[in-house]
Amino acid sequence: MLIYNSFAQFLVKEKGYDKDLLTVTPEHWDFCCKGLALDLEDGNFVKLADNGTVLRASHGTTMMAPEELAEKYGWKAWKHFVSDMGMACRSGKYYVYDNYFDLPGALLCARVVDSLTQQNNGQKTFDFWKDIVAGIQHNYKVSAFKENCGIYFPEIKRDLGRYLHSCPESVKKWLRQLKDAGKILLLITNSHSDYCRLLCKHILGNDFADLFDIVITNALKPGFFSHLPSQRLFRTLNGRMVVPPAAMGKNTEAKSVLENDDEQAALPSLEKPGWYSQGNAVHLYELLKKMTGKPEPKVAYFGDSMHSDIFPARHYSNWETVLILEELRGDRDRKPEESEPLEKKGKYEGQKAKPLNSLSEKWGSFFIDSISGLENTEESSIYTWSCKRISTYSTIAIPSIEAIAELPLDYKFTRFSSNNSKTAGYYPNPPLVLSNDETLTAK
């Protein structure tokens, strides 16, 4: 609810939108489903098949009937679909919701479309996205945390325990085992350094920096991977380098604590481990070569966003990628109400809404769907665009880091690329709906 409310209040109070946006029922949350694309011009949400055809669609929150869907989109690829690189997730013409932090925004935008359509007698084209962008700037601009402005950061600071859970001890132990085994640990986040520090202290403890050799905040992913080094130089913080103890040996104490989090000098290259801001994967990889003494060190990168993490890390840097896929939680053994990730619960609690990673009745499975619904047509199942991207760009997919934390460090996972299987890389098991994947249609 916090993410939804931080935007809804801005739209109502600052931009004059209908105050009904502030009221959310548990039933509203069923609209949320990862992988939906919003057409910014016509206000339609679409769920895509792996070949780009539209499997389901809605105008605002109102789902299109099969006949309307066929008339609007036919059986051809969606107009913005690009097959060779799987399509970008951000564009001036559409926005794809691919992670749980963004997902409440999908519900809000859909309800904005509903409101504008009702107010303006069936409005056909929309221009509300500029107000959504203004809401992002209002709540999440770099200085918002320090200035305690907007709605999001003040509330997080006020009641951290409501929105965050401590990291399981098994995960902390796993990180230490990796360090002891000589692995270099990196933390790369789009969050600014002050917000990152607040979260990590609560989640990992006050000594969280000891766990990492390199910390990169305000990384501006996916540009961190896709931009040329000259376009995204690393920057120091507060005019000096801060070296985490983990980067200097076991018996070294922290050298300093940042007095503030202002970004300072741009660095032509990255020469030593420490805490930095912005930057690029090319200069980081050069440092990893130096630290490991290897010409081609291997990197295993963990992330929960296909757009910001998995696709760019694989496509531009050719890193091994581990997708944190919450849809794998509770798929087999847990009851639906138990399946939500602990670290996500606080964001949406209070209304007793079902977890966002549970099956949406409106949109169906995240992994597969059916083509059809029309009279006299045979129904067949097909992989979704989101599912195809998982097997294409992820080395493996796991429900959480906790799920692998107690495995031996030399455990050998089965990769998605094994025998061209679309299910091999899911650990510990493929989603139930993909268990009989050979019967599915792949275009």
Side-chain angles (χ1 to χ4, degrees), residues 162-176:
R162 180 182 179 189
Y163 301 101
L164 301 173
H165 288 258
S166 296
C167 180
E169 283 301 320
S170 61
V171 175
K172 295 179 187 178
K173 181 180 178 182
W174 179 71
L175 292 172
R176 295 188 192 101

Side-chain angles (χ1 to χ4, degrees), residues 37-46 57-60 62 64 68 72-73 78 113 124 126 363:
L38 166 61
D39 188 315
L40 301 180
E41 182 179 12
D42 61 21
N44 291 346
F45 286 81
V46 296
S58 72
H59 182 71
T62 303
M64 294 186 187
E68 183 182 4
K72 174 73 175 176
Y73 295 107
W78 186 48
V113 171
K124 299 298 183 184
F126 298 86
W363 294 104

Side-chain angles (χ1 to χ4, degrees), residues 370-394:
S370 299
I371 304 178
S372 105
L374 289 176
E375 190 177 350
N376 300 323
T377 60
E378 183 179 349
E379 187 169 296
S380 61
S381 294
I382 188 172
Y383 293 108
T384 63
W385 173 67
S386 298
C387 184
K388 180 181 179 180
R389 283 165 66 83
I390 293 171
S391 59
T392 302
Y393 299 113
S394 308

Side-chain angles (χ1 to χ4, degrees), residues 139-149 153 156-157 192 194-196 198 261:
N139 281 291
Y140 303 117
K141 62 183 179 181
V142 168
S143 61
F145 184 92
K146 184 177 180 180
E147 297 170 359
N148 209 40
C149 63
F153 288 127
I156 286 285
K157 292 179 185 178
H192 199 50
D194 46 12
Y195 182 50
C196 171
L198 177 76
D261 295 272

Side-chain angles (χ1 to χ4, degrees), residues 206-223:
N206 290 334
D207 60 348
F208 77 92
D210 294 6
L211 296 170
F212 301 99
D213 298 278
I214 301 170
V215 177
I216 301 168
T217 51
N218 196 25
L220 304 173
K221 300 174 292 182

Side-chain angles (χ1 to χ4, degrees), residues 33-159:
C33 178
K34 262 171 47 178
L36 300 182
L38 166 61
D39 188 315
L40 301 180
E41 182 179 12
D42 61 21
N44 291 346
F45 286 81
V46 296
K47 178 184 181 182
L48 299 176
D50 59 358
N51 63 355
T53 55
V54 178
L55 295 169
R56 303 192 193 199
S58 72
H59 182 71
T61 63
T62 303
M63 301 302 295
M64 294 186 187
E67 294 77 15
E68 183 182 4
L69 183 70
E71 180 181 353
K72 174 73 175 176
Y73 295 107
W75 306 115
K76 60 184 183 297
W78 186 48
K79 60 186 178 181
H80 299 304
F81 182 77
V82 180
S83 60
D84 57 344
M85 286 175 51
M87 197 174 78
C89 281
R90 308 290 187 265
S91 161
K93 298 181 181 298
Y94 61 86
Y95 190 96
V96 178
Y97 292 89
D98 86 324
N99 64 78
Y100 287 112
F101 195 88
D102 279 356
L103 207 47
L107 174 60
L108 179 61
C109 287
R111 298 189 69 204
V112 166
V113 171
D114 289 346
S115 177
L116 293 176
T117 301
Q118 183 177 13
Q119 291 175 17
N120 300 318
N121 300 317
Q123 181 174 337
K124 299 298 183 184
T125 60
F126 298 86
D127 191 30
F128 63 85
W129 190 249
K130 65 181 186 301
D131 295 329
I132 298 294
V133 173
I136 295 172
Q137 176 66 11
H138 176 71
N139 281 291
Y140 303 117
K141 62 183 179 181
V142 168
S143 61
F145 184 92
K146 184 177 180 180
E147 297 170 359
N148 209 40
C149 63
I151 297 166
Y152 181 82
F153 288 127
E155 174 60 17
I156 286 285
K157 292 179 185 178
R158 187 187 68 81
D159 195 359

Side-chain angles (χ1 to χ4, degrees), residues 35 82 123 146 159 204 222 324 339 343 365 372 403 406 415 417:
V82 180
Q123 181 174 337
K146 184 177 180 180
D159 195 359
L204 291 168
I324 308 297
S339 66
E343 60 269 26
S365 170
S372 105
E406 296 184 0
R415 307 161 66 98
S417 58

